[in-house]
Amino acid sequence: MPISLASLLYPLAVALATLPCAQATQYSLAKEYYGSSFFDAWTFYNYYDNLTNGDTIFVSAQNASADKLAYVDPTTSHAFIRVDNFTTVPYNDKRNSVRITSNDSYAVGSLWVTDMYHVPYGCSVWPSWWSQAVQWPQGGEIDTFEGVNLQTNNQMSLHTETGCTQVLPNETSTMVTSTNCSYAANENQGCVVIDPSLASFGAGFASASGGAFVTEFATTGISIWYFPRSQIPSTLSNNESTIDTTTFGIPVGNWPATGCNIQELFQPQQLIFDITLCGDFAGNSAIFNQTCTGVCYNDYVLGPPSGYDNAYFEVGYVRVFSAAGISTVVSPSTSASGSAAGTTSNPSTQGNSASGLGGKYASVVASLFAAIGGLGVMLL
Ligand SMILES: *[C@@H]1O[C@H](CO)[C@@H](O)[C@H](O)[C@H]1NC(C)=O
Ligand SMILES: *[C@@H]1O[C@H](CO)[C@@H](O)[C@H](O)[C@H]1NC(C)=O
Ligand SMILES: *[C@@H]1O[C@H](CO)[C@@H](O)[C@H](O)[C@H]1NC(C)=O
Ligand SMILES: *[C@@H]1O[C@H](CO)[C@@H](O)[C@H](O)[C@H]1NC(C)=O
Ligand SMILES: *[C@@H]1O[C@H](CO)[C@@H](O)[C@H](O)[C@H]1NC(C)=O
Ligand SMILES: *[C@@H]1O[C@H](CO)[C@@H](O)[C@H](O)[C@H]1NC(C)=O
Ligand SMILES: *[C@@H]1O[C@H](CO)[C@@H](O)[C@H](O)[C@H]1NC(C)=O
Ligand SMILES: *[C@@H]1O[C@H](CO)[C@@H](O)[C@H](O)[C@H]1NC(C)=O
């Protein structure tokens, strides 16, 4: 495999990202996904869900556009990402949906903001807005937004190699499900924090016209803010090109570096939107029947397509910021243009899912690093 320019530049980006700005709270706009070009710099999965056992085919960019499963509304400039709600699926088949991964990765020292008006919900529906490194679990995963079926609250989490725990968070949520972020703990549950706001997921989210999620990926820790539309800070609603996280108040979820060495356990993250159906999380019968009745696949995936009328993201924009004065954007291959890009491997087919079963990619070396990481935490 040829050495890519990105892999040569990456150590430089990390050095720049981590040396002068360890305590960064000031960020400058680095990349925007917005309007008619929203979908240009993402890779469509173009294969069935072989990651979380969902009953979906994640369509190609071409099919997504042709079937209006991924499109930008010209009037509002909002991007829609949706499940097929017009096809009756025959037994044994899967329903079409979308999974997109950003071509660029974002190193430690990044912050991303997503403005959404609607998030997918409904029985069998499992949406997520999240990120992971190409190598999983070694490079870590940050789940900013996730939930299933008719749940009413967003759940946030990290998934890492062993050695990351949530210790002394400064966060507004008091609903902490689990604190061990290791993929090997509790069947890769992650270290989960629930947003107590009923406007953070499902119909409650949509009826408040949604809001903005902010994910800060800093050496000092990972933080997530959620602002319902009426409370979006003016720096965000005014589309300012620099932001200061100290003006955002206490985040709803926070994983300080005290219990989780971010630089050691996280690599540059690719951003992902996906909606799957049933599968390991939504389709788990004990979870499914908490909010829905019947059988996930038979009664919903095969059922009336109108069951998916609410299974869509409506996104105002995604903006990525870098700590002031540096760039944290890692391109897959800066030199690739036109057909050259086709020779790079599809990054979204590597790694694992928001809640996939881990372990496959862990190597002996990674386990060794994890053991050292765990020791480091104990010594702190
Ligand atoms: C993103 O990657 C996909 C293929 O993976 C490619 O088709 C698309 O052109 C890329 N977008 C940009 C802006 O490079
Ligand atoms: C999923 O399918 C893709 C495309 O065939 C393949 O590259 C990838 O290894 C598969 N992933 C898993 C976890 O099976
Ligand atoms: C795209 O659509 C074509 C024509 O309907 C179909 O043959 C193909 O399987 C679809 N591909 C995906 C990944 O959905
Ligand atoms: C987290 O889980 C891993 C895997 O089960 C375990 O090795 C580690 O000791 C746990 N960490 C803590 C702090 O309990
Ligand atoms: C935000 O401002 C940038 C320029 O800084 C512009 O390119 C972009 O279109 C604006 N986005 C929105 C959502 O208005
Ligand atoms: C928690 O975060 C807030 C907002 O950034 C800050 O004012 C406060 O000092 C922090 N508290 C602790 C205990 O660190
Ligand atoms: C929900 O599913 C669990 C596990 O399959 C089962 O034990 C339980 O009886 C179910 N509850 C209802 C209300 O169907
Ligand atoms: C699919 O759902 C949308 C609302 O999200 C609705 O406008 C549209 O009419 C539905 N499509 C069909 C074929 O019912």
Side-chain angles (χ1 to χ4, degrees), residues 71 80 82-87 118 305-306 308-312:
Y71 67 98
F80 287 77
R82 54 189 315 147
V83 174
D84 176 332
N85 70 332
F86 47 84
T87 302
H118 189 280
S306 61
Y308 296 98
D309 285 358
N310 277 307
Y312 67 95

Side-chain angles (χ1 to χ4, degrees), residues 45 47-54 56 58 94 348-349 360:
Y45 195 70
Y47 203 64
Y48 75 92
D49 178 3
N50 61 350
L51 302 168
T52 53
N53 300 306
T56 43
F58 295 126
K94 297 171 189 290
S348 69
T349 59
K360 278 197 288 282

Side-chain angles (χ1 to χ4, degrees), residues 24-165:
T25 60
Q26 306 260 356
Y27 293 86
S28 305
L29 187 65
K31 175 92 187 173
E32 184 176 55
Y33 303 86
Y34 170 65
S36 57
S37 64
F38 183 94
F39 290 104
D40 290 357
W42 305 81
T43 298
F44 285 71
Y45 195 70
N46 193 20
Y47 203 64
Y48 75 92
D49 178 3
N50 61 350
L51 302 168
T52 53
N53 300 306
D55 296 307
T56 43
I57 293 168
F58 295 126
V59 297
S60 63
Q62 220 173 12
N63 288 18
S65 172
D67 289 344
K68 290 204 121 191
L69 299 183
Y71 67 98
V72 176
D73 177 79
T75 315
T76 59
S77 292
H78 296 171
F80 287 77
I81 298 163
R82 54 189 315 147
V83 174
D84 176 332
N85 70 332
F86 47 84
T87 302
T88 299
V89 173
Y91 185 75
N92 259 342
D93 281 4
K94 297 171 189 290
R95 187 170 285 282
N96 286 343
S97 184
V98 175
R99 175 186 162 113
I100 54 173
T101 302
S102 66
N103 293 5
D104 287 341
S105 300
Y106 299 100
V108 183
S110 301
L111 172 149
W112 46 92
V113 183
T114 314
D115 183 84
M116 302 202 225
Y117 290 82
H118 189 280
V119 291
Y121 64 91
C123 291
S124 79
V125 179
W126 172 9
S128 189
W129 160 241
W130 58 293
S131 70
Q132 71 165 36
V134 171
Q135 292 293 316
W136 188 98
Q138 294 90 332
E141 167 182 337
I142 305 169
D143 301 332
T144 297
F145 168 83
E146 185 168 27
V148 293
N149 305 316
L150 296 181
Q151 286 179 357
T152 52
N153 299 74
N154 178 33
Q155 78 169 53
M156 302 157 277
S157 63
L158 308 183
H159 299 259
T160 63
E161 271 287 2
T162 296
C164 177
T165 52

Side-chain angles (χ1 to χ4, degrees), residues 43 47 146 156 162-163 171-172 176 280 308 329 336 343 353 372:
T43 298
Y47 203 64
E146 185 168 27
M156 302 157 277
T162 296
E171 64 189 10
T172 58
V176 175
D280 299 331
Y308 296 98
V329 181
T343 61
S353 66
I372 294 164

Side-chain angles (χ1 to χ4, degrees), residues 284-290 292-294:
N284 173 303
S285 59
I287 291 171
F288 183 77
N289 69 16
Q290 284 170 7
C292 292
T293 56

